[in-house]
Amino acid sequence: MTLFRLECKTHCKTLLIWMIVVGILTLGLVSLFPAMKDMGLDQMKAMPKDMMKAFNLSDLGMLTTIKGYFGYEYQYVMLATGIFAAMLGTNALSREESEGTISYLFSQPISRIAIVGEKMLCNTVLYTLYWLVSMAIAYLVCLMFKETGASVSDLFDGFTQLTFAGWVMGLTFLSVGFLLSAFLSSNKSATSLSLGLVFLTFILGVVGKMNNDFKGLLYASPVDAALPSTIFKSGIEWNYIVTDLVVIVVAGLLTFWIYRRKDLNV
């Protein structure tokens, strides 16, 4: 498990920075709720209905509750979370070739399968830690600023489901990132690929919500499988979660298969 420890040590600082930034962002967004819930919604009502639906604003009344407000605002933090997970994946394997450390790995008694396996395990642990801390901070902040009479148990149930759905969403981006990393020989394009992957799938989800003829595109949008507004309102939509789980398994297996046969720049 030497590689596992090295990988964790490499990402320790990055993980801490992301948790701090997301925690501060969450606090800043939710702290605006008391002021926002007393403001009129007339300007938002003037927005086209399809546009409101695409950005999960179909029920404006929900914005006067902490669950509804948090559900809308936090979807953008979910995008950042997807980018973080995708960056972990796209950097994982390509970084070794780009930085020349692949020679060191091959000098150790470790196989390519073990390299991929330990890196996957490490990055899964890192993402899981990031997500659990993010959810704990978000839940505590929502308790601090919730409206009078809001049910604590109801809020906890919603966060429990969101924690699971968001975890699956992140693992989806992580696994696809690993698959892309198996093809790359340099991590210079890892960030742009991560951004492109997350925003492309998000846009596909927006198109799917705006036009019923393209509703199937929602299955290509992991973010839509873990939208806080949807989960808080109607619970987890398991058809999307199952799709994400299939992608995770297939992308993971393909990563092992491709990396095992790849010509590495040693």
Side-chain angles (χ1 to χ4, degrees), residues 228-249:
S229 56
T230 302
I231 291 174
F232 284 164
K233 184 177 181 180
S234 54
I236 294 175
E237 296 190 23
W238 288 100
N239 50 335
Y240 298 135
I241 294 295
V242 170
T243 301
D244 284 353
L245 292 174
V246 171
V247 171
I248 291 170
V249 173

Side-chain angles (χ1 to χ4, degrees), residues 101-192:
T101 52
I102 191 65
S103 300
Y104 168 76
L105 288 181
F106 278 169
S107 68
Q108 306 298 313
I110 185 172
S111 66
R112 293 193 184 191
I113 296 298
I115 290 174
V116 176
E118 290 192 33
K119 280 180 171 286
M120 279 187 174
L121 178 60
C122 172
N123 285 283
T124 298
V125 170
L126 291 173
Y127 171 72
T128 301
L129 179 60
Y130 156 83
W131 185 238
L132 290 177
V133 171
S134 298
M135 282 289 93
I137 293 173
Y139 178 66
L140 292 175
V141 171
C142 284
L143 288 180
M144 290 170 56
F145 295 99
K146 68 181 180 68
E147 73 275 15
T148 303
S151 171
V152 174
S153 60
D154 190 35
L155 190 63
F156 180 79
D157 290 341
F159 265 92
T160 300
Q161 295 185 67
L162 177 61
T163 299
F164 173 73
W167 182 66
V168 173
M169 177 209 74
L171 291 185
T172 305
F173 284 118
L174 178 65
S175 62
V176 175
F178 257 96
L179 180 57
L180 293 174
S181 186
F183 287 102
L184 300 175
S185 297
S186 171
N187 64 344
K188 292 181 179 179
S189 59
T191 300
S192 57

Side-chain angles (χ1 to χ4, degrees), residues 50-123:
D50 287 340
M51 185 68 69
M52 291 170 63
K53 183 179 179 182
F55 291 95
N56 309 295
L57 279 171
S58 55
D59 188 359
L60 292 178
M62 289 294 292
L63 293 179
T64 60
T65 67
I66 188 62
K67 287 176 64 177
Y69 175 82
F70 175 83
Y72 170 69
E73 295 288 351
Y74 206 73
Q75 64 180 321
Y76 301 106
V77 179
M78 300 292 284
L79 286 174
T81 295
I83 292 171
F84 172 65
M87 287 179 63
L88 284 177
T90 51
N91 274 292
L93 300 173
S94 58
R95 188 183 72 250
E96 303 297 344
E97 289 185 79
S98 182
E99 297 178 359
T101 52
I102 191 65
S103 300
Y104 168 76
L105 288 181
F106 278 169
S107 68
Q108 306 298 313
I110 185 172
S111 66
R112 293 193 184 191
I113 296 298
I115 290 174
V116 176
E118 290 192 33
K119 280 180 171 286
M120 279 187 174
L121 178 60
C122 172
N123 285 283

